[in-house]
Amino acid sequence: MNPETAPAAEEKRLKYSVPALEKGLDILEYLSEQAVPMTQAQLARALRRQPGELFRMLACLEGRGYLHRDPAAGGYSLTLRLFELSRTHSPHEALLRAARPLMRALADDIRESCHLSVLHRGELVVLAQEESPEPFRLSIEVGSRHSPMRTTSGRVLLAALDREQRAEILGRQREWKAMAAADKSAFDARLEAIRAAGLDQSLGERFAGSADIGVLVGRPSTSITAALTVARLVEAGGEDGLDRVRGALLHCAATISHDAGIGAVAVG
């Protein structure tokens, strides 16, 4: 959301507030942030409501299959119902269907792990991974969230945005706010170079001996884009095999883009 429109959106939300619906959404959103079940009393304290206010809402959500209540401890936790709903209409489902077999073939070919990521609410989210068949390999958790500024995948996706979208996402990042004007200018120039090339790579950014190479899946400034990234181990200071990995990665990304119907990748 554009910062200038935030006050207007908040005013509209308050004007058309639906207390019962907001109470239910508060429960779902809070439980989604917790790693353990929460009792009615614990939820009431966390949401600053009376326990009686939540009783009927919790019963309704449990009855509709969104919550599960532990009969022994009385704690409520989310079921997979929301996940199932999100998958039914996920804009990334076609992308994943196209990507998975191609990513598996890529991992087998180059003997390295690869993962597919997207931007969601200002964060980098890993959608899928195929691991290297080698016994020693790098791995990343599917569903994990990362900084878009400090990851190869994130920079590839930031570079693919138009300037207004990019400014909106960067404006939410603490590290961006803390950067000096000269550093912001240098980072923006780096993103423009990545946009022109369609790829980014880093050596030792996550830890010594790691190398990440990421390329764009899709076309810049379109509604659906992703980053396909290979994470590999390299000798200290070495780039052996990166050219072969880079070529295979670009070919795989272009094929995924074509098969998913989101266009070819432009590379320099």
Side-chain angles (χ1 to χ4, degrees):
M1 181 182 295
N2 191 310
E4 286 77 7
T5 66
E10 179 65 12
E11 181 180 349
K12 183 177 181 181
R13 187 188 72 81
L14 294 174
K15 181 178 179 180
Y16 298 104
S17 175
V18 182
L21 177 59
E22 292 200 350
K23 192 186 303 181
L25 292 174
D26 286 343
I27 292 171
L28 294 175
E29 290 174 357
Y30 185 75
L31 285 175
S32 73
E33 298 171 357
Q34 307 308 306
V36 295
M38 307 289 290
T39 65
Q40 181 178 327
Q42 290 171 326
L43 285 167
R45 284 194 297 272
L47 300 175
R48 298 181 181 180
R49 295 181 182 273
Q50 294 299 317
E53 288 185 75
L54 303 185
F55 175 76
R56 293 178 64 184
M57 186 59 66
L58 289 169
C60 176
L61 290 170
E62 183 183 8
R64 295 291 293 266
Y66 290 92
L67 299 182
H68 168 74
R69 182 177 181 272
D70 186 324
Y76 289 90
S77 57
L78 291 179
T79 67
L80 293 176
R81 177 68 174 148
L82 287 173
F83 178 71
E84 290 172 353
L85 289 177
S86 69
R87 285 179 60 85
T88 301
H89 298 288
S90 171
H92 298 119
E93 200 59 35
L95 174 63
L96 287 171
R97 282 197 301 270
R100 285 191 176 106
L102 294 167
M103 290 172 63
R104 180 68 261 158
L106 175 67
D108 288 341
D109 176 37
I110 64 175
R111 317 294 291 181
E112 304 286 356
S113 300
C114 61
H115 57 272
L116 191 74
S117 308
V118 296
L119 287 176
H120 179 66
R121 294 185 177 181
E123 295 181 296
L124 182 79
V125 180
V126 180
L127 287 185
Q129 178 188 226
E130 290 294 341
E131 291 193 344
S132 163
E134 296 294 331
F136 294 98
R137 57 185 178 265
L138 294 181
S139 180
I140 189 166
E141 184 179 357
V142 173
S144 59
R145 298 170 181 267
H146 308 269
S147 164
M149 294 180 63
R150 290 185 283 106
T151 54
T152 297
S153 299
R155 289 188 294 268
V156 167
L157 290 168
L158 285 172
L161 299 174
D162 62 37
R163 287 194 170 274
E164 183 177 349
Q165 293 173 312
R166 187 188 302 174
E168 181 181 346
I169 290 180
L170 288 176
R172 304 178 198 171
Q173 310 299 316
R174 291 183 181 178
E175 52 206 302
W176 176 260
K177 295 175 183 178
M179 290 173 68
D183 293 331
K184 288 182 178 179
S185 179
F187 186 77
D188 192 60
R190 179 177 183 181
L191 293 183
E192 288 301 310
I194 294 170
R195 184 184 178 96
L199 60 86
D200 185 34
Q201 66 183 55
S202 62
L203 289 171
E205 182 173 39
R206 289 189 292 166
F207 55 86
S210 69
D212 288 348
I213 311 173
V215 303
L216 183 66
V217 176
R219 297 191 310 275
S221 301
T222 54
S223 59
I224 297 179
T225 55
L228 180 62
T229 301
V230 166
R232 66 192 304 262
L233 296 169
V234 296
E235 297 294 333
E239 297 188 37
D240 292 344
L242 287 185
D243 285 342
R244 190 177 78 85
V245 169
R246 190 181 301 113
L249 185 61
L250 285 166
H251 177 74
C252 183
T255 307
I256 293 172
S257 298
H258 176 271
D259 290 359
I262 55 177
V265 178
V267 294

